[in-house]
Amino acid sequence: MKSQENCDKMIKDYSRMVRWNEAEKVGIVFVTPKQRPAFDKTAESIRRRNVSMVDYRILAKQCMTEKKKAEATVEFDYFVLPDNRLKTITDHQTWVLLEENPQDPEAGEGWKITSPLPEFK
């Protein structure tokens, strides 16, 4: 049950941090080192373009702890100045549960997102 609770918490925390424009921190906490360069590139693009997040909604989530994977569908509302039109993007997230690996201690452990950060065009 604890793994299920951790999964729910990670999905909420990740979405909340993206909403508050903390994408760089998200990369450190929720992304494996192998996937971080691509994630960081998208996060930098979001920051440079002054994407402003307004809200997010977790539409669906499924934590399959026995299979060590999870999926979530999250909507983010945002705008990019100078255009003040509100836009919505749907983020289909894929997560995996990593266990401590003495062979690769840098890989991390716990719930990690494997899907890319949306580009918020």
PDB file of all heavy atoms in Angstrom, residues 68-105:
ATOM      1  N   LYS A  68       5.107  -2.392 -11.399  1.00  0.00           N
ATOM      2  CA  LYS A  68       6.110  -1.334 -11.242  1.00  0.00           C
ATOM      3  C   LYS A  68       5.984  -0.255 -12.313  1.00  0.00           C
ATOM      4  O   LYS A  68       6.968   0.248 -12.843  1.00  0.00           O
ATOM      5  CB  LYS A  68       7.524  -1.903 -11.211  1.00  0.00           C
ATOM      6  CG  LYS A  68       7.746  -2.830 -10.050  1.00  0.00           C
ATOM      7  CD  LYS A  68       9.151  -3.333  -9.979  1.00  0.00           C
ATOM      8  CE  LYS A  68       9.264  -4.258  -8.778  1.00  0.00           C
ATOM      9  NZ  LYS A  68      10.592  -4.764  -8.608  1.00  0.00           N
ATOM     10  N   LYS A  69       4.730   0.082 -12.638  1.00  0.00           N
ATOM     11  CA  LYS A  69       4.506   1.166 -13.588  1.00  0.00           C
ATOM     12  C   LYS A  69       3.218   1.902 -13.245  1.00  0.00           C
ATOM     13  O   LYS A  69       2.376   1.393 -12.505  1.00  0.00           O
ATOM     14  CB  LYS A  69       4.497   0.665 -15.027  1.00  0.00           C
ATOM     15  CG  LYS A  69       3.347  -0.223 -15.400  1.00  0.00           C
ATOM     16  CD  LYS A  69       3.448  -0.629 -16.863  1.00  0.00           C
ATOM     17  CE  LYS A  69       2.191  -1.344 -17.307  1.00  0.00           C
ATOM     18  NZ  LYS A  69       2.226  -1.644 -18.735  1.00  0.00           N
ATOM     19  N   ALA A  70       3.108   3.093 -13.786  1.00  0.00           N
ATOM     20  CA  ALA A  70       1.926   3.915 -13.549  1.00  0.00           C
ATOM     21  C   ALA A  70       1.692   4.784 -14.773  1.00  0.00           C
ATOM     22  O   ALA A  70       2.619   5.044 -15.551  1.00  0.00           O
ATOM     23  CB  ALA A  70       2.123   4.789 -12.311  1.00  0.00           C
ATOM     24  N   GLU A  71       0.468   5.223 -14.923  1.00  0.00           N
ATOM     25  CA  GLU A  71       0.098   6.131 -16.000  1.00  0.00           C
ATOM     26  C   GLU A  71      -0.814   7.212 -15.426  1.00  0.00           C
ATOM     27  O   GLU A  71      -1.583   6.958 -14.500  1.00  0.00           O
ATOM     28  CB  GLU A  71      -0.628   5.382 -17.117  1.00  0.00           C
ATOM     29  CG  GLU A  71       0.242   4.359 -17.814  1.00  0.00           C
ATOM     30  CD  GLU A  71      -0.505   3.576 -18.881  1.00  0.00           C
ATOM     31  OE1 GLU A  71      -1.729   3.762 -19.027  1.00  0.00           O
ATOM     32  OE2 GLU A  71       0.145   2.776 -19.560  1.00  0.00           O
ATOM     33  N   ALA A  72      -0.679   8.395 -15.978  1.00  0.00           N
ATOM     34  CA  ALA A  72      -1.535   9.498 -15.545  1.00  0.00           C
ATOM     35  C   ALA A  72      -1.840  10.380 -16.748  1.00  0.00           C
ATOM     36  O   ALA A  72      -1.033  10.489 -17.672  1.00  0.00           O
ATOM     37  CB  ALA A  72      -0.854  10.314 -14.454  1.00  0.00           C
ATOM     38  N   THR A  73      -2.996  10.997 -16.721  1.00  0.00           N
ATOM     39  CA  THR A  73      -3.380  11.980 -17.726  1.00  0.00           C
ATOM     40  C   THR A  73      -3.659  13.277 -16.979  1.00  0.00           C
ATOM     41  O   THR A  73      -4.512  13.320 -16.084  1.00  0.00           O
ATOM     42  CB  THR A  73      -4.629  11.524 -18.496  1.00  0.00           C
ATOM     43  OG1 THR A  73      -4.361  10.249 -19.086  1.00  0.00           O
ATOM     44  CG2 THR A  73      -4.991  12.519 -19.587  1.00  0.00           C
ATOM     45  N   VAL A  74      -2.894  14.312 -17.336  1.00  0.00           N
ATOM     46  CA  VAL A  74      -2.971  15.588 -16.640  1.00  0.00           C
ATOM     47  C   VAL A  74      -3.156  16.699 -17.668  1.00  0.00           C
ATOM     48  O   VAL A  74      -2.497  16.701 -18.707  1.00  0.00           O
ATOM     49  CB  VAL A  74      -1.690  15.846 -15.818  1.00  0.00           C
ATOM     50  CG1 VAL A  74      -1.769  17.178 -15.090  1.00  0.00           C
ATOM     51  CG2 VAL A  74      -1.439  14.704 -14.845  1.00  0.00           C
ATOM     52  N   GLU A  75      -4.065  17.619 -17.386  1.00  0.00           N
ATOM     53  CA  GLU A  75      -4.237  18.805 -18.226  1.00  0.00           C
ATOM     54  C   GLU A  75      -3.575  19.996 -17.546  1.00  0.00           C
ATOM     55  O   GLU A  75      -3.718  20.179 -16.337  1.00  0.00           O
ATOM     56  CB  GLU A  75      -5.714  19.132 -18.429  1.00  0.00           C
ATOM     57  CG  GLU A  75      -6.392  18.297 -19.453  1.00  0.00           C
ATOM     58  CD  GLU A  75      -7.824  18.755 -19.704  1.00  0.00           C
ATOM     59  OE1 GLU A  75      -8.402  19.492 -18.876  1.00  0.00           O
ATOM     60  OE2 GLU A  75      -8.365  18.363 -20.737  1.00  0.00           O
ATOM     61  N   PHE A  76      -2.850  20.770 -18.341  1.00  0.00           N
ATOM     62  CA  PHE A  76      -2.244  22.003 -17.862  1.00  0.00           C
ATOM     63  C   PHE A  76      -2.845  23.166 -18.642  1.00  0.00           C
ATOM     64  O   PHE A  76      -2.918  23.114 -19.869  1.00  0.00           O
ATOM     65  CB  PHE A  76      -0.725  22.001 -18.084  1.00  0.00           C
ATOM     66  CG  PHE A  76       0.016  21.032 -17.205  1.00  0.00           C
ATOM     67  CD1 PHE A  76       0.386  19.787 -17.674  1.00  0.00           C
ATOM     68  CD2 PHE A  76       0.341  21.378 -15.898  1.00  0.00           C
ATOM     69  CE1 PHE A  76       1.066  18.898 -16.868  1.00  0.00           C
ATOM     70  CE2 PHE A  76       1.024  20.502 -15.082  1.00  0.00           C
ATOM     71  CZ  PHE A  76       1.390  19.251 -15.565  1.00  0.00           C
ATOM     72  N   ASP A  77      -3.259  24.209 -17.939  1.00  0.00           N
ATOM     73  CA  ASP A  77      -3.705  25.456 -18.563  1.00  0.00           C
ATOM     74  C   ASP A  77      -2.544  26.431 -18.484  1.00  0.00           C
ATOM     75  O   ASP A  77      -1.906  26.557 -17.433  1.00  0.00           O
ATOM     76  CB  ASP A  77      -4.915  26.036 -17.824  1.00  0.00           C
ATOM     77  CG  ASP A  77      -6.133  25.129 -17.897  1.00  0.00           C
ATOM     78  OD1 ASP A  77      -6.277  24.387 -18.875  1.00  0.00           O
ATOM     79  OD2 ASP A  77      -6.947  25.182 -16.948  1.00  0.00           O
ATOM     80  N   TYR A  78      -2.290  27.147 -19.592  1.00  0.00           N
ATOM     81  CA  TYR A  78      -1.132  28.036 -19.638  1.00  0.00           C
ATOM     82  C   TYR A  78      -1.331  29.101 -20.709  1.00  0.00           C
ATOM     83  O   TYR A  78      -2.238  29.021 -21.522  1.00  0.00           O
ATOM     84  CB  TYR A  78       0.146  27.246 -19.933  1.00  0.00           C
ATOM     85  CG  TYR A  78       0.179  26.672 -21.325  1.00  0.00           C
ATOM     86  CD1 TYR A  78       0.908  27.305 -22.334  1.00  0.00           C
ATOM     87  CD2 TYR A  78      -0.515  25.521 -21.658  1.00  0.00           C
ATOM     88  CE1 TYR A  78       0.931  26.803 -23.626  1.00  0.00           C
ATOM     89  CE2 TYR A  78      -0.495  25.006 -22.938  1.00  0.00           C
ATOM     90  CZ  TYR A  78       0.228  25.652 -23.922  1.00  0.00           C
ATOM     91  OH  TYR A  78       0.243  25.156 -25.205  1.00  0.00           O
ATOM     92  N   PHE A  79      -0.450  30.093 -20.711  1.00  0.00           N
ATOM     93  CA  PHE A  79      -0.391  31.066 -21.788  1.00  0.00           C
ATOM     94  C   PHE A  79       1.065  31.469 -21.980  1.00  0.00           C
ATOM     95  O   PHE A  79       1.904  31.267 -21.104  1.00  0.00           O
ATOM     96  CB  PHE A  79      -1.300  32.280 -21.544  1.00  0.00           C
ATOM     97  CG  PHE A  79      -0.969  33.073 -20.320  1.00  0.00           C
ATOM     98  CD1 PHE A  79      -0.101  34.159 -20.388  1.00  0.00           C
ATOM     99  CD2 PHE A  79      -1.526  32.751 -19.098  1.00  0.00           C
ATOM    100  CE1 PHE A  79       0.205  34.892 -19.262  1.00  0.00           C
ATOM    101  CE2 PHE A  79      -1.235  33.491 -17.961  1.00  0.00           C
ATOM    102  CZ  PHE A  79      -0.358  34.560 -18.043  1.00  0.00           C
ATOM    103  N   VAL A  80       1.350  32.008 -23.160  1.00  0.00           N
ATOM    104  CA  VAL A  80       2.698  32.459 -23.495  1.00  0.00           C
ATOM    105  C   VAL A  80       2.586  33.915 -23.927  1.00  0.00           C
ATOM    106  O   VAL A  80       1.976  34.220 -24.940  1.00  0.00           O
ATOM    107  CB  VAL A  80       3.316  31.612 -24.633  1.00  0.00           C
ATOM    108  CG1 VAL A  80       4.747  32.065 -24.914  1.00  0.00           C
ATOM    109  CG2 VAL A  80       3.274  30.128 -24.305  1.00  0.00           C
ATOM    110  N   LEU A  81       3.153  34.807 -23.125  1.00  0.00           N
ATOM    111  CA  LEU A  81       3.106  36.235 -23.462  1.00  0.00           C
ATOM    112  C   LEU A  81       3.903  36.522 -24.723  1.00  0.00           C
ATOM    113  O   LEU A  81       4.870  35.834 -24.998  1.00  0.00           O
ATOM    114  CB  LEU A  81       3.642  37.064 -22.298  1.00  0.00           C
ATOM    115  CG  LEU A  81       2.780  37.057 -21.045  1.00  0.00           C
ATOM    116  CD1 LEU A  81       3.485  37.792 -19.926  1.00  0.00           C
ATOM    117  CD2 LEU A  81       1.424  37.679 -21.315  1.00  0.00           C
ATOM    118  N   PRO A  82       3.534  37.445 -25.558  1.00  0.00           N
ATOM    119  CA  PRO A  82       2.526  38.468 -25.326  1.00  0.00           C
ATOM    120  C   PRO A  82       1.095  38.000 -25.606  1.00  0.00           C
ATOM    121  O   PRO A  82       0.160  38.740 -25.361  1.00  0.00           O
ATOM    122  CB  PRO A  82       2.935  39.579 -26.282  1.00  0.00           C
ATOM    123  CG  PRO A  82       3.553  38.877 -27.422  1.00  0.00           C
ATOM    124  CD  PRO A  82       4.254  37.687 -26.812  1.00  0.00           C
ATOM    125  N   ASP A  83       0.937  36.791 -26.102  1.00  0.00           N
ATOM    126  CA  ASP A  83      -0.407  36.271 -26.365  1.00  0.00           C
ATOM    127  C   ASP A  83      -1.019  35.863 -25.026  1.00  0.00           C
ATOM    128  O   ASP A  83      -0.462  35.035 -24.305  1.00  0.00           O
ATOM    129  CB  ASP A  83      -0.327  35.062 -27.300  1.00  0.00           C
ATOM    130  CG  ASP A  83      -1.678  34.533 -27.722  1.00  0.00           C
ATOM    131  OD1 ASP A  83      -2.706  35.089 -27.297  1.00  0.00           O
ATOM    132  OD2 ASP A  83      -1.698  33.546 -28.477  1.00  0.00           O
ATOM    133  N   ASN A  84      -2.151  36.441 -24.689  1.00  0.00           N
ATOM    134  CA  ASN A  84      -2.758  36.128 -23.404  1.00  0.00           C
ATOM    135  C   ASN A  84      -3.924  35.147 -23.511  1.00  0.00           C
ATOM    136  O   ASN A  84      -4.693  35.012 -22.573  1.00  0.00           O
ATOM    137  CB  ASN A  84      -3.189  37.407 -22.676  1.00  0.00           C
ATOM    138  CG  ASN A  84      -4.250  38.166 -23.437  1.00  0.00           C
ATOM    139  OD1 ASN A  84      -4.639  37.772 -24.525  1.00  0.00           O
ATOM    140  ND2 ASN A  84      -4.719  39.258 -22.853  1.00  0.00           N
ATOM    141  N   ARG A  85      -4.017  34.464 -24.649  1.00  0.00           N
ATOM    142  CA  ARG A  85      -5.063  33.447 -24.790  1.00  0.00           C
ATOM    143  C   ARG A  85      -4.701  32.219 -23.970  1.00  0.00           C
ATOM    144  O   ARG A  85      -3.583  31.711 -24.036  1.00  0.00           O
ATOM    145  CB  ARG A  85      -5.237  33.034 -26.244  1.00  0.00           C
ATOM    146  CG  ARG A  85      -5.960  34.076 -27.078  1.00  0.00           C
ATOM    147  CD  ARG A  85      -6.119  33.617 -28.492  1.00  0.00           C
ATOM    148  NE  ARG A  85      -4.768  33.598 -29.077  1.00  0.00           N
ATOM    149  CZ  ARG A  85      -4.440  32.966 -30.186  1.00  0.00           C
ATOM    150  NH1 ARG A  85      -5.323  32.276 -30.846  1.00  0.00           N
ATOM    151  NH2 ARG A  85      -3.214  33.006 -30.648  1.00  0.00           N
ATOM    152  N   LEU A  86      -5.644  31.736 -23.203  1.00  0.00           N
ATOM    153  CA  LEU A  86      -5.435  30.557 -22.374  1.00  0.00           C
ATOM    154  C   LEU A  86      -5.438  29.313 -23.267  1.00  0.00           C
ATOM    155  O   LEU A  86      -6.325  29.139 -24.101  1.00  0.00           O
ATOM    156  CB  LEU A  86      -6.536  30.458 -21.309  1.00  0.00           C
ATOM    157  CG  LEU A  86      -6.351  29.383 -20.256  1.00  0.00           C
ATOM    158  CD1 LEU A  86      -5.121  29.674 -19.405  1.00  0.00           C
ATOM    159  CD2 LEU A  86      -7.588  29.315 -19.376  1.00  0.00           C
ATOM    160  N   LYS A  87      -4.444  28.478 -23.076  1.00  0.00           N
ATOM    161  CA  LYS A  87      -4.335  27.229 -23.831  1.00  0.00           C
ATOM    162  C   LYS A  87      -4.352  26.072 -22.844  1.00  0.00           C
ATOM    163  O   LYS A  87      -4.014  26.233 -21.675  1.00  0.00           O
ATOM    164  CB  LYS A  87      -3.024  27.193 -24.618  1.00  0.00           C
ATOM    165  CG  LYS A  87      -2.885  28.309 -25.624  1.00  0.00           C
ATOM    166  CD  LYS A  87      -1.540  28.241 -26.302  1.00  0.00           C
ATOM    167  CE  LYS A  87      -1.336  29.403 -27.258  1.00  0.00           C
ATOM    168  NZ  LYS A  87      -0.030  29.336 -27.921  1.00  0.00           N
ATOM    169  N   THR A  88      -4.718  24.908 -23.347  1.00  0.00           N
ATOM    170  CA  THR A  88      -4.730  23.697 -22.520  1.00  0.00           C
ATOM    171  C   THR A  88      -3.987  22.608 -23.274  1.00  0.00           C
ATOM    172  O   THR A  88      -4.186  22.433 -24.476  1.00  0.00           O
ATOM    173  CB  THR A  88      -6.169  23.240 -22.221  1.00  0.00           C
ATOM    174  OG1 THR A  88      -6.855  24.297 -21.539  1.00  0.00           O
ATOM    175  CG2 THR A  88      -6.182  21.991 -21.360  1.00  0.00           C
ATOM    176  N   ILE A  89      -3.125  21.906 -22.550  1.00  0.00           N
ATOM    177  CA  ILE A  89      -2.409  20.783 -23.137  1.00  0.00           C
ATOM    178  C   ILE A  89      -2.647  19.565 -22.257  1.00  0.00           C
ATOM    179  O   ILE A  89      -2.738  19.688 -21.032  1.00  0.00           O
ATOM    180  CB  ILE A  89      -0.900  21.079 -23.283  1.00  0.00           C
ATOM    181  CG1 ILE A  89      -0.215  20.004 -24.127  1.00  0.00           C
ATOM    182  CG2 ILE A  89      -0.229  21.213 -21.934  1.00  0.00           C
ATOM    183  CD1 ILE A  89       1.185  20.379 -24.550  1.00  0.00           C
ATOM    184  N   THR A  90      -2.790  18.412 -22.887  1.00  0.00           N
ATOM    185  CA  THR A  90      -2.952  17.167 -22.149  1.00  0.00           C
ATOM    186  C   THR A  90      -1.621  16.441 -22.120  1.00  0.00           C
ATOM    187  O   THR A  90      -1.003  16.215 -23.165  1.00  0.00           O
ATOM    188  CB  THR A  90      -4.033  16.280 -22.804  1.00  0.00           C
ATOM    189  OG1 THR A  90      -5.259  17.031 -22.867  1.00  0.00           O
ATOM    190  CG2 THR A  90      -4.256  15.011 -22.012  1.00  0.00           C
ATOM    191  N   ASP A  91      -1.187  16.102 -20.935  1.00  0.00           N
ATOM    192  CA  ASP A  91       0.085  15.416 -20.724  1.00  0.00           C
ATOM    193  C   ASP A  91      -0.212  13.974 -20.335  1.00  0.00           C
ATOM    194  O   ASP A  91      -0.819  13.714 -19.297  1.00  0.00           O
ATOM    195  CB  ASP A  91       0.860  16.134 -19.601  1.00  0.00           C
ATOM    196  CG  ASP A  91       2.221  15.538 -19.343  1.00  0.00           C
ATOM    197  OD1 ASP A  91       2.748  14.819 -20.205  1.00  0.00           O
ATOM    198  OD2 ASP A  91       2.769  15.812 -18.249  1.00  0.00           O
ATOM    199  N   HIS A  92       0.193  13.036 -21.191  1.00  0.00           N
ATOM    200  CA  HIS A  92       0.036  11.605 -20.899  1.00  0.00           C
ATOM    201  C   HIS A  92       1.348  11.131 -20.289  1.00  0.00           C
ATOM    202  O   HIS A  92       2.366  11.040 -20.983  1.00  0.00           O
ATOM    203  CB  HIS A  92      -0.310  10.823 -22.166  1.00  0.00           C
ATOM    204  CG  HIS A  92      -1.590  11.274 -22.796  1.00  0.00           C
ATOM    205  ND1 HIS A  92      -2.821  10.945 -22.278  1.00  0.00           N
ATOM    206  CD2 HIS A  92      -1.827  12.064 -23.863  1.00  0.00           C
ATOM    207  CE1 HIS A  92      -3.763  11.499 -23.022  1.00  0.00           C
ATOM    208  NE2 HIS A  92      -3.184  12.186 -23.990  1.00  0.00           N
ATOM    209  N   GLN A  93       1.321  10.871 -19.004  1.00  0.00           N
ATOM    210  CA  GLN A  93       2.535  10.533 -18.270  1.00  0.00           C
ATOM    211  C   GLN A  93       2.676   9.031 -18.091  1.00  0.00           C
ATOM    212  O   GLN A  93       1.692   8.336 -17.829  1.00  0.00           O
ATOM    213  CB  GLN A  93       2.517  11.193 -16.894  1.00  0.00           C
ATOM    214  CG  GLN A  93       2.391  12.688 -16.936  1.00  0.00           C
ATOM    215  CD  GLN A  93       2.157  13.296 -15.569  1.00  0.00           C
ATOM    216  OE1 GLN A  93       2.070  12.600 -14.559  1.00  0.00           O
ATOM    217  NE2 GLN A  93       2.051  14.618 -15.522  1.00  0.00           N
ATOM    218  N   THR A  94       3.913   8.575 -18.202  1.00  0.00           N
ATOM    219  CA  THR A  94       4.256   7.184 -17.948  1.00  0.00           C
ATOM    220  C   THR A  94       5.317   7.174 -16.855  1.00  0.00           C
ATOM    221  O   THR A  94       6.308   7.911 -16.938  1.00  0.00           O
ATOM    222  CB  THR A  94       4.812   6.505 -19.218  1.00  0.00           C
ATOM    223  OG1 THR A  94       3.871   6.684 -20.282  1.00  0.00           O
ATOM    224  CG2 THR A  94       5.045   5.027 -18.999  1.00  0.00           C
ATOM    225  N   TRP A  95       5.121   6.355 -15.861  1.00  0.00           N
ATOM    226  CA  TRP A  95       6.008   6.280 -14.704  1.00  0.00           C
ATOM    227  C   TRP A  95       6.482   4.851 -14.499  1.00  0.00           C
ATOM    228  O   TRP A  95       5.784   3.906 -14.852  1.00  0.00           O
ATOM    229  CB  TRP A  95       5.259   6.718 -13.438  1.00  0.00           C
ATOM    230  CG  TRP A  95       4.849   8.146 -13.422  1.00  0.00           C
ATOM    231  CD1 TRP A  95       3.803   8.716 -14.108  1.00  0.00           C
ATOM    232  CD2 TRP A  95       5.471   9.197 -12.706  1.00  0.00           C
ATOM    233  NE1 TRP A  95       3.747  10.068 -13.836  1.00  0.00           N
ATOM    234  CE2 TRP A  95       4.757  10.388 -12.968  1.00  0.00           C
ATOM    235  CE3 TRP A  95       6.570   9.262 -11.842  1.00  0.00           C
ATOM    236  CZ2 TRP A  95       5.105  11.601 -12.410  1.00  0.00           C
ATOM    237  CZ3 TRP A  95       6.909  10.476 -11.278  1.00  0.00           C
ATOM    238  CH2 TRP A  95       6.182  11.629 -11.569  1.00  0.00           C
ATOM    239  N   VAL A  96       7.676   4.701 -13.909  1.00  0.00           N
ATOM    240  CA  VAL A  96       8.194   3.383 -13.537  1.00  0.00           C
ATOM    241  C   VAL A  96       8.679   3.449 -12.089  1.00  0.00           C
ATOM    242  O   VAL A  96       9.116   4.501 -11.612  1.00  0.00           O
ATOM    243  CB  VAL A  96       9.340   2.901 -14.452  1.00  0.00           C
ATOM    244  CG1 VAL A  96       8.842   2.667 -15.866  1.00  0.00           C
ATOM    245  CG2 VAL A  96      10.509   3.860 -14.432  1.00  0.00           C
ATOM    246  N   LEU A  97       8.605   2.317 -11.422  1.00  0.00           N
ATOM    247  CA  LEU A  97       9.102   2.203 -10.056  1.00  0.00           C
ATOM    248  C   LEU A  97      10.476   1.549 -10.114  1.00  0.00           C
ATOM    249  O   LEU A  97      10.606   0.392 -10.503  1.00  0.00           O
ATOM    250  CB  LEU A  97       8.141   1.374  -9.198  1.00  0.00           C
ATOM    251  CG  LEU A  97       8.544   1.144  -7.751  1.00  0.00           C
ATOM    252  CD1 LEU A  97       8.722   2.466  -7.014  1.00  0.00           C
ATOM    253  CD2 LEU A  97       7.526   0.261  -7.044  1.00  0.00           C
ATOM    254  N   LEU A  98      11.484   2.317  -9.772  1.00  0.00           N
ATOM    255  CA  LEU A  98      12.853   1.809  -9.779  1.00  0.00           C
ATOM    256  C   LEU A  98      13.259   1.421  -8.361  1.00  0.00           C
ATOM    257  O   LEU A  98      12.952   2.125  -7.404  1.00  0.00           O
ATOM    258  CB  LEU A  98      13.820   2.875 -10.307  1.00  0.00           C
ATOM    259  CG  LEU A  98      13.572   3.375 -11.725  1.00  0.00           C
ATOM    260  CD1 LEU A  98      14.597   4.443 -12.085  1.00  0.00           C
ATOM    261  CD2 LEU A  98      13.632   2.234 -12.723  1.00  0.00           C
ATOM    262  N   GLU A  99      13.957   0.311  -8.288  1.00  0.00           N
ATOM    263  CA  GLU A  99      14.492  -0.118  -6.998  1.00  0.00           C
ATOM    264  C   GLU A  99      15.971   0.218  -6.960  1.00  0.00           C
ATOM    265  O   GLU A  99      16.602   0.403  -8.005  1.00  0.00           O
ATOM    266  CB  GLU A  99      14.260  -1.611  -6.818  1.00  0.00           C
ATOM    267  CG  GLU A  99      12.781  -1.956  -6.732  1.00  0.00           C
ATOM    268  CD  GLU A  99      12.522  -3.437  -6.626  1.00  0.00           C
ATOM    269  OE1 GLU A  99      13.484  -4.228  -6.724  1.00  0.00           O
ATOM    270  OE2 GLU A  99      11.357  -3.811  -6.448  1.00  0.00           O
ATOM    271  N   GLU A 100      16.506   0.299  -5.777  1.00  0.00           N
ATOM    272  CA  GLU A 100      17.923   0.610  -5.625  1.00  0.00           C
ATOM    273  C   GLU A 100      18.749  -0.420  -6.380  1.00  0.00           C
ATOM    274  O   GLU A 100      18.505  -1.628  -6.284  1.00  0.00           O
ATOM    275  CB  GLU A 100      18.310   0.616  -4.150  1.00  0.00           C
ATOM    276  CG  GLU A 100      19.713   1.077  -3.921  1.00  0.00           C
ATOM    277  CD  GLU A 100      20.049   1.173  -2.452  1.00  0.00           C
ATOM    278  OE1 GLU A 100      19.178   0.905  -1.602  1.00  0.00           O
ATOM    279  OE2 GLU A 100      21.189   1.519  -2.159  1.00  0.00           O
ATOM    280  N   ASN A 101      19.704   0.073  -7.175  1.00  0.00           N
ATOM    281  CA  ASN A 101      20.548  -0.806  -7.981  1.00  0.00           C
ATOM    282  C   ASN A 101      22.013  -0.529  -7.637  1.00  0.00           C
ATOM    283  O   ASN A 101      22.550   0.501  -8.043  1.00  0.00           O
ATOM    284  CB  ASN A 101      20.284  -0.551  -9.472  1.00  0.00           C
ATOM    285  CG  ASN A 101      21.085  -1.451 -10.376  1.00  0.00           C
ATOM    286  OD1 ASN A 101      21.955  -2.200  -9.938  1.00  0.00           O
ATOM    287  ND2 ASN A 101      20.798  -1.392 -11.663  1.00  0.00           N
ATOM    288  N   PRO A 102      22.666  -1.441  -6.902  1.00  0.00           N
ATOM    289  CA  PRO A 102      24.070  -1.215  -6.538  1.00  0.00           C
ATOM    290  C   PRO A 102      24.982  -1.105  -7.760  1.00  0.00           C
ATOM    291  O   PRO A 102      26.019  -0.462  -7.712  1.00  0.00           O
ATOM    292  CB  PRO A 102      24.436  -2.440  -5.700  1.00  0.00           C
ATOM    293  CG  PRO A 102      23.165  -3.132  -5.382  1.00  0.00           C
ATOM    294  CD  PRO A 102      22.126  -2.660  -6.358  1.00  0.00           C
ATOM    295  N   GLN A 103      24.570  -1.703  -8.876  1.00  0.00           N
ATOM    296  CA  GLN A 103      25.354  -1.643 -10.111  1.00  0.00           C
ATOM    297  C   GLN A 103      25.301  -0.251 -10.744  1.00  0.00           C
ATOM    298  O   GLN A 103      26.205   0.150 -11.440  1.00  0.00           O
ATOM    299  CB  GLN A 103      24.823  -2.669 -11.126  1.00  0.00           C
ATOM    300  CG  GLN A 103      24.664  -4.055 -10.578  1.00  0.00           C
ATOM    301  CD  GLN A 103      25.890  -4.893 -10.829  1.00  0.00           C
ATOM    302  OE1 GLN A 103      26.536  -4.738 -11.834  1.00  0.00           O
ATOM    303  NE2 GLN A 103      26.206  -5.775  -9.899  1.00  0.00           N
ATOM    304  N   ASP A 104      24.190   0.455 -10.512  1.00  0.00           N
ATOM    305  CA  ASP A 104      24.005   1.782 -11.093  1.00  0.00           C
ATOM    306  C   ASP A 104      23.353   2.703 -10.061  1.00  0.00           C
ATOM    307  O   ASP A 104      22.168   3.029 -10.155  1.00  0.00           O
ATOM    308  CB  ASP A 104      23.140   1.689 -12.357  1.00  0.00           C
ATOM    309  CG  ASP A 104      23.054   3.002 -13.121  1.00  0.00           C
ATOM    310  OD1 ASP A 104      23.763   3.967 -12.750  1.00  0.00           O
ATOM    311  OD2 ASP A 104      22.269   3.073 -14.076  1.00  0.00           O
ATOM    312  N   PRO A 105      24.130   3.147  -9.051  1.00  0.00           N
ATOM    313  CA  PRO A 105      23.537   3.964  -7.988  1.00  0.00           C
ATOM    314  C   PRO A 105      23.026   5.315  -8.475  1.00  0.00           C
ATOM    315  O   PRO A 105      22.195   5.928  -7.830  1.00  0.00           O
ATOM    316  CB  PRO A 105      24.688   4.145  -6.996  1.00  0.00           C
ATOM    317  CG  PRO A 105      25.923   3.834  -7.754  1.00  0.00           C
ATOM    318  CD  PRO A 105      25.533   2.916  -8.873  1.00  0.00           C
TER     319      PRO A 105
END
